[in-house]
Amino acid sequence: MVRSIQEGVLISSSSSSTTSNNTDSDDSLSPSSSSKSFVLTTLRPQITGAYKPLAVLSAHVGSVSSLALCGEFLLSASQGKDIIVWQQPDLKIFAKFGQGDGSVKALVSVGSKVFTAHQDSRIRVWKVSRRNSENAFRLVDTLPTTKDYLGKFMKQSNYVQTRRNHKRLWIEHADSISCLAIHAGIIYSGSWDKTLKVWRLSDLKCLESIKAHDDAINGLVAGDGRVYSASADGKIKIWGREKRKQIDSLSSSSSSLHVLKATLEGRTEVSVNSVVVSGDGKWVYGGGSDGFVMGWEKKEKGGDFEEWRLEFEMRGHKMAVLCMCVVGEMVCSGSADKNIGLWKREASGILCKFGVIQGHEGPVKCLQASPNNVGAGFMLYSGGLDKSLRVWWVPKQGNLEEKKKKPKF
């Protein structure tokens, strides 16, 4: 069901940060005592421009958990086990698939394949065919594959302890898979079982299982030879591929393994729910369960271990940040406070919040931005716990400033 709604107004907070002395009455969301901590005023925002809410798509039976672009299609996954394929640009339902395979936690697409992660700790592989909508997305495999499983189950050293008196093959996740990422022929999966697994795209074989964190992994992003994992243990870890001669029991005969390059830490006792990386790879941004957005800058240093420094902590939302996405020099953040925050990356790398999109009737769980410019802006898709998928046209921040400075006659 597509329900068009009228044009909205972009509500914007001041672009300048204020110190912790100007916090509101919610003490639980106050900034830390760090000298590099700032808080954003959000009590009486000013109107600086207009965004356009284009449609509300209400067809899911559960909350929308993940979004992905697949050619001319927009895919949305639901906690109600269903995956809907929307035909662009009119956003009509083209197909549905995935029912009965467990609650869908994440999905990604590459080429003619779609990968979906599920609460039953499995990854399913779908073949995309645009011939007809009845069998357009066909299930072709499940990870770990039967071939991979049969090649390892007889050897005792391939089993790891997952719970008391319970063992699994190291190629299997022991809990819900919460996030997926694809880069350079590799599929990465993060799970509540605290592990990061590495799969080869060509033959779907599991290459590595990394004991990455001390708590559940909530978010993944990959690019430029790195994979970044965000966890409920309050840390973001950066992993890079290196050639190794010694291959342990938790990897196959591969020419390279992923090793820890850096550990990013910010606010104590705060779960990091999402992570994104700037296009140049010099900045990592994370969203916390306390509503803060944090930023780390990479420092030039020789050696295997990279040096990163926490440069800012900003209060972006009144409740937990659940998702983030990058669009050029802009960052979008979705929150449990039902709002979408719009941020501009300054020349220094620090983010400046300049706007808020309101409209969801529940927490915003996932965001997906189109890489293509539409006019002087871009298309933003958001999914929420209100079971709706919403479509927005968002102007670029620079365009808003030009409109604001233009004299009126």
Side-chain angles (χ1 to χ4, degrees):
M1 175 182 178
V2 180
R3 176 163 58 90
S4 296
I5 52 182
Q6 63 184 1
E7 178 173 338
V9 175
L10 179 62
I11 301 177
S12 174
S13 59
S14 172
S15 60
S16 60
S17 302
T18 60
T19 62
S20 57
N21 294 329
N22 292 331
T23 57
D24 58 29
S25 59
D26 191 349
D27 295 333
S28 64
L29 297 178
S30 60
S32 68
S33 57
S34 170
S35 61
K36 291 186 178 181
S37 182
F38 302 90
V39 68
L40 294 175
T41 56
T42 56
L43 295 179
R44 291 189 178 277
Q46 299 176 349
I47 297 175
T48 62
Y51 67 86
K52 292 182 179 180
L54 303 180
V56 178
L57 311 179
S58 303
H60 281 290
V61 297
S63 58
V64 182
S65 57
S66 185
L67 299 169
L69 292 172
C70 180
E72 72 267 31
F73 298 125
L74 172 67
L75 277 59
S76 58
S78 165
Q79 299 282 18
K81 305 179 183 180
D82 57 328
I83 303 169
I84 298 178
V85 183
W86 308 88
Q87 178 80 58
Q88 297 196 83
D90 55 3
L91 293 172
K92 292 182 179 179
I93 295 179
F94 176 79
K96 291 185 179 182
F97 67 100
Q99 293 91 337
D101 292 328
S103 178
V104 185
K105 296 292 186 179
L107 79 162
V108 292
S109 70
V110 58
S112 61
K113 290 183 179 179
V114 173
F115 297 84
T116 57
H118 298 254
Q119 191 170 1
D120 62 6
S121 72
R122 293 298 188 100
I123 300 172
R124 289 173 173 82
V125 187
W126 309 82
K127 178 77 172 180
V128 182
S129 173
R130 292 168 174 79
R131 294 179 181 177
N132 60 77
S133 59
E134 293 182 1
N135 199 27
F137 292 78
R138 179 171 54 90
L139 182 64
V140 294
D141 224 324
T142 302
L143 305 186
T145 63
T146 301
K147 180 180 179 180
D148 208 359
Y149 188 92
L150 292 177
K152 293 180 174 62
F153 87 102
M154 291 289 289
K155 195 173 182 179
Q156 189 65 30
S157 61
N158 286 326
Y159 288 83
V160 294
Q161 193 86 24
T162 56
R163 296 191 300 271
R164 186 177 181 181
N165 301 323
H166 189 80
K167 291 185 177 182
R168 280 179 180 256
L169 286 174
W170 65 264
I171 61 175
E172 298 179 279
H173 276 297
D175 208 334
S176 295
I177 301 173
S178 55
C179 45
L180 296 171
I182 294 181
H183 175 65
I186 296 293
I187 309 165
Y188 300 95
S189 59
S191 170
W192 291 352
D193 66 8
K194 310 172 188 178
T195 68
L196 169 66
K197 296 194 187 297
V198 182
W199 315 79
R200 189 162 53 206
L201 184 60
S202 59
D203 58 4
L204 304 178
K205 186 175 185 178
C206 188
L207 302 178
E208 299 176 65
S209 179
I210 304 168
K211 296 178 180 178
H213 288 275
D214 297 325
D215 208 332
I217 298 177
N218 296 323
L220 286 176
V221 63
D224 195 27
R226 296 286 187 269
V227 58
Y228 306 76
S229 57
S231 171
D233 65 9
K235 300 175 183 177
I236 294 174
K237 292 189 177 182
I238 304 174
W239 310 86
R241 298 179 72 177
E242 283 190 1
K243 291 184 179 181
R244 289 294 177 95
K245 295 180 180 179
Q246 298 294 329
I247 308 297
D248 61 26
S249 61
L250 297 187
S251 65
S252 67
S253 55
S254 174
S255 60
S256 62
L257 291 174
H258 286 78
V259 297
L260 183 64
K261 292 293 186 179
T263 299
L264 313 185
E265 297 185 62
R267 303 175 61 76
T268 59
E269 299 182 359
V270 171
S271 171
V272 183
N273 297 328
S274 57
V275 56
V276 293
V277 183
S278 63
D280 56 12
K282 295 182 179 180
W283 281 82
V284 172
Y285 305 107
S289 58
D290 60 353
F292 273 72
V293 171
M294 299 158 283
W296 293 264
E297 184 181 14
K298 183 178 181 180
K299 301 299 180 180
E300 296 298 331
K301 184 180 180 181
D304 294 335
F305 202 74
E306 299 174 357
E307 182 182 351
W308 292 74
R309 186 168 65 190
L310 178 66
E311 291 294 342
F312 70 91
E313 297 172 324
M314 292 187 179
R315 180 181 181 180
H317 295 273
K318 292 185 177 181
M319 300 178 70
V321 179
L322 301 179
C323 53
M324 302 175 74
C325 71
V326 173
V327 192
E329 297 301 310
M330 289 179 59
V331 174
C332 304
S333 59
S335 170
D337 64 11
K338 308 178 185 180
N339 296 329
I340 300 170
L342 301 177
W343 305 76
K344 172 68 176 178
R345 181 188 174 198
E346 301 292 344
S348 63
I350 293 177
L351 296 181
C352 175
K353 189 178 180 184
F354 70 89
V356 176
I357 294 178
Q358 298 175 330
H360 273 282
E361 298 174 0
V364 181
K365 185 65 175 65
C366 51
L367 292 170
Q368 176 68 56
S370 172
N372 301 321
N373 289 334
V374 180
F378 61 94
M379 302 293 291
L380 179 66
Y381 309 93
S382 59
L385 270 61
D386 56 7
K387 303 180 183 179
S388 75
L389 165 60
R390 296 176 185 249
V391 186
W392 318 86
W393 178 83
V394 181
K396 293 292 180 69
Q397 197 264 353
N399 185 54
L400 281 176
E401 291 180 345
E402 289 176 5
K403 288 185 177 181
K404 186 176 180 181
K405 294 177 181 178
K406 187 176 180 180
K408 295 181 180 180
F409 298 99

